[in-house]
Amino acid sequence: MSGSIRRVVIVLGDQLDRSSSVFDGFEVTRDVVVMAEVAAASRQPLSAKARTVFFLSAMRHFASALRDEGVRVEYTDLSAAETGSLAEVLGRMVRGLGGEEVRVVEPGCWHLRHALAEALSRTAFYGFDEDRHFFCSRERFDRHCAGRKQLRMEFFYREMRREHGVLMAGKGPEGGEWNYDAENRASFGREGPGFLPRVMRFPADAVTVAVVREVEQFLPELPGSAAEFDFPVTRAEALVALEDFVTNRLADFGRWQDAMWVGEEVLYHARLSAAMNVKLLSPREVVARVERAYREGLAPLAATEGFIRQVLGWREYVRGVYWRHMPGYLEGNALEAKAPLPAFFWTGETDMACLRDAIGQTLRTGYAHHIQRLMVTGLYALLHGVNPREVHEWYLAVYVDAVEWVEIPNVIGMSQYADGGVMASKPYAATGKYLKRMSNACSGCRYDPEVEEGERACPFTRAYWEFLERNRERLAGNQRMAMQLRNLARRGVKGS
Ligand code: FAD
Ligand code: SF4
């Protein structure tokens, strides 16, 4: 490249999308891409080793693919030991380059959005480009909310299905129903899952190996491990992972969506969230591929609809909730939960078998499926009144797919009910008997989910009644809690 720079394009770690709006009209001869790895961004907020490796490896691969196209990429890596926050480092890099205009897609984190706007205020930056990755823009979500007293995902999801023509038969839903949950969500029972399809793994290549080494060198204090790292880190790998899911697991996705089995990490889940969240995959192509599999007879309607609801429904919905309610959303603590996060969340060392399995897997791999997050770790924190802010910091740190716009509503809203009912119509509170039904963990545990008192009392079952007692008044007006509160009254539990 010779002469002055026309456009400086900033690409953040979760914006690895060659078709994003900042590349519209991109000119290889006059434009420059800027990317940065900043150690401070892995320390605050905390990011575990596997998560950090995922982002940095995917970024390096993306930068390398751009360079192969002849694009000039200015890239600061960990070894540059840049001081300051990510926004400050990017601001410095951009100012050093000059350029007639600075372009960046809106970040997926409220705080980074504001920090970046501030850092770029003395450059030729005119505002954020829209994030075209999602089905539903922020403005469209606001229209959905207009005039509604209460938001419910189900109604939003139906609108999205109609609007985007997904899984429709004329004007109505395919098969006549919007929701096939009644056919989904079985447990494996005593006999267990039996044969499980092998999940496609992507062993670390030379780039990832170098990243792992540098993370150990420059950020040794980060929690967790990257020794087993095997997530897709390029678009080509992500497409292979999508095909692997559609071919081998989609057909049984719905049926076993809520089931757990000790030592089985993925079961019939997609393991695609990380690739989607850094935009190696677009939700449109994922939804279209899954719908095509159904139309070709590769998957039943219930599994297909169940999966599409997660991506077109929940994923878009939580993003809308995040942007509509931040920054105050993070301060929510509707149940006034104040206990500290137990230390075993960072080690997995506990004699509760369900938590040992879910947390151990999380720290080792950076992945746990939805029901492990909601009904094992999340449930424990909810029942034991752990401060939602600390719960949020843990989830944001440990999962490879964790980015604020999706993590915060799931933790603060769905799992901890700290938003007082914006996301979920009632707290997901249950006893250990739920875990006994959905998993085999209890059979290898020193506690008994049926026992409420004494040495063998299951900490979930015991805490469930304490939770209801503690929150009896706060939840009294919630019709969906009426039966649980009636059961509490019948037991005659005294105030705790
Ligand atoms: P599958 O079970 O196969 O589902 C398919 C896809 O649907 C996922 O890849 C994901 O993109 C989407 N999806 C499913 N459920 C949700 C949901 N509740 N919200 C948004 N999208 C959803 N997901 C994240 O991507 N990042 C997070 O940081 C995150 N934190 C969570 C924290 C808690 C407490 C809970 C209860 C859920 C969280 N989720 C998060 C949602 C969900 O658990 C993960 O998306 C899912 O487990 C990822 O694994 P998978 O790709 O195998 O998903
Ligand atoms: Fe978890 Fe309680 Fe079952 Fe033990 S008995 S595995 S603590 S639910």
Side-chain angles (χ1 to χ4, degrees):
M1 182 191 293
S2 61
S4 61
I5 293 170
R6 185 188 69 125
R7 181 188 296 179
V8 177
V9 166
I10 297 175
V11 174
L12 301 172
D14 64 346
Q15 298 180 342
L16 311 181
D17 175 8
R18 186 64 178 85
S19 60
S20 92
S21 46
V22 285
F23 288 112
D24 291 352
F26 189 87
E27 290 183 26
V28 169
T29 50
R30 298 200 290 160
D31 301 342
V32 181
V33 168
V34 167
M35 299 174 76
E37 299 176 0
V38 177
S42 293
R43 296 193 181 108
Q44 182 55 258
L46 191 62
S47 171
K49 283 184 181 146
R51 180 179 183 274
T52 304
V53 166
F54 173 67
F55 275 81
L56 302 194
S57 175
M59 284 168 68
R60 289 187 191 187
H61 279 96
F62 188 75
S64 158
L66 288 176
R67 286 191 181 116
D68 288 348
E69 285 181 45
V71 174
R72 175 178 164 194
V73 182
E74 290 296 321
Y75 194 106
T76 296
D77 67 21
L78 274 186
S79 65
E82 283 281 356
T83 53
S85 68
L86 175 61
E88 286 163 353
V89 172
L90 287 168
R92 280 202 296 270
M93 289 173 76
V94 168
R95 279 194 299 279
L97 284 165
E100 293 163 28
E101 61 169 13
V102 178
R103 299 273 298 269
V104 56
V105 169
E106 179 174 59
C109 162
W110 191 92
H111 296 97
L112 181 57
R113 186 183 199 281
H114 286 263
L116 205 50
E118 162 86 27
L120 298 177
S121 60
R122 285 183 289 119
T123 68
F125 169 66
Y126 307 105
F128 292 105
D129 281 42
E130 194 191 337
D131 193 339
R132 290 196 305 227
H133 168 86
F134 296 93
F135 281 95
C136 179
S137 67
R138 287 171 59 184
E139 177 273 322
R140 174 68 186 86
F141 191 78
D142 286 342
R143 264 193 286 133
H144 167 79
C145 299
R148 286 175 201 267
K149 277 207 187 107
Q150 205 178 33
L151 297 184
R152 283 297 158 250
M153 199 291 287
E154 187 66 30
F155 300 117
F156 167 78
Y157 166 60
R158 291 177 192 181
E159 269 182 31
M160 289 294 108
R161 290 260 303 267
R162 281 197 200 92
E163 198 163 303
H164 296 279
V166 173
L167 221 48
M168 297 295 289
K171 289 197 168 143
E174 178 75 12
E177 304 287 339
W178 291 103
N179 183 321
Y180 289 89
D181 256 1
E183 294 175 39
N184 288 338
R185 306 189 164 168
S187 72
F188 291 121
R190 275 174 202 279
E191 41 315 333
F195 167 81
L196 282 171
R198 199 176 53 86
V199 177
M200 180 74 77
R201 307 280 177 173
F202 301 88
D205 62 5
V207 173
T208 304
V209 167
V211 173
V212 172
R213 204 173 42 237
E214 287 171 43
V215 167
E216 291 296 351
Q217 184 182 348
F218 297 107
L219 292 159
E221 74 278 19
L222 298 185
S225 162
E228 292 182 23
F229 185 88
D230 59 7
F231 284 88
V233 287
T234 64
R235 175 155 169 76
E237 288 180 348
L239 286 168
V240 171
L242 172 60
E243 266 328 288
D244 174 53
F245 167 65
V246 169
T247 314
N248 298 315
R249 302 193 296 284
L250 170 64
D252 289 306
F253 170 84
R255 186 165 177 217
W256 307 120
Q257 205 175 334
D258 284 4
M260 291 173 275
W261 201 258
V262 172
E264 293 299 342
E265 294 161 14
V266 181
L267 296 166
Y268 291 91
H269 292 271
R271 206 175 180 253
L272 290 174
S273 48
M276 268 195 279
N277 292 354
V278 298
K279 298 170 185 147
L280 296 176
L281 287 177
S282 113
R284 285 188 178 75
E285 71 191 331
V286 171
V287 164
R289 179 66 190 95
V290 166
E291 179 167 1
R292 181 155 65 84
Y294 161 71
R295 305 262 177 223
E296 289 169 354
L298 284 175
L301 182 55
T304 307
E305 189 282 314
F307 182 84
I308 286 177
R309 177 143 28 95
Q310 306 310 310
V311 178
L312 179 61
W314 280 112
R315 189 170 186 269
E316 299 286 329
Y317 183 75
V318 300
R319 177 170 180 265
V321 167
Y322 176 81
W323 283 112
R324 206 170 155 78
H325 293 277
M326 280 299 280
Y329 199 73
L330 196 46
E331 309 303 323
N333 192 354
L335 302 181
E336 296 179 56
K338 296 191 180 90
L341 187 79
F344 66 74
F345 269 68
W346 295 107
T347 62
E349 287 164 16
T350 165
D351 51 10
M352 290 174 273
C354 54
L355 282 160
R356 191 169 59 231
D357 181 57
I359 296 174
Q361 164 189 332
T362 296
L363 296 174
R364 213 178 54 250
T365 68
Y367 175 84
H369 62 73
H370 185 69
I371 222 67
Q372 292 175 300
R373 299 188 204 197
L374 184 64
M375 298 309 284
V376 183
T377 40
L379 176 61
Y380 185 89
L382 173 77
L383 297 181
H384 288 83
V386 178
N387 183 329
R389 188 75 183 231
E390 291 190 36
V391 184
H392 143 69
E393 284 164 3
W394 183 80
Y395 277 96
L396 185 61
V398 296
Y399 289 107
V400 165
D401 60 23
V403 277
E404 270 207 3
W405 62 264
V406 52
E407 178 271 332
I408 286 183
N410 270 297
V411 173
I412 297 290
M414 186 186 291
S415 146
Q416 300 303 298
Y417 200 72
D419 64 1
V422 175
M423 272 283 289
S425 53
K426 72 191 224 355
Y428 281 88
T431 67
K433 289 182 214 166
Y434 171 85
L435 290 164
K436 183 182 177 189
R437 196 165 63 248
M438 300 310 295
S439 144
N440 64 335
C442 300
S443 61
C445 186
R446 63 162 280 215
Y447 302 108
D448 183 337
E450 311 279 346
V451 177
E452 292 169 23
E453 282 172 27
E455 284 228 322
R456 300 252 304 139
C458 164
F460 285 83
T461 305
R462 197 185 52 224
Y464 169 80
W465 296 110
E466 290 166 1
F467 168 85
L468 288 183
E469 184 58 35
R470 199 166 61 239
N471 293 297
R472 189 206 307 245
E473 284 178 19
R474 291 188 192 95
L475 299 173
N478 185 329
Q479 278 313 305
R480 297 204 60 213
M481 289 302 292
M483 193 161 74
Q484 279 166 289
L485 291 175
R486 265 200 309 277
N487 289 341
L488 174 73
R490 258 189 233 119
R491 288 163 49 92
V493 175
K494 300 281 178 297
S496 54

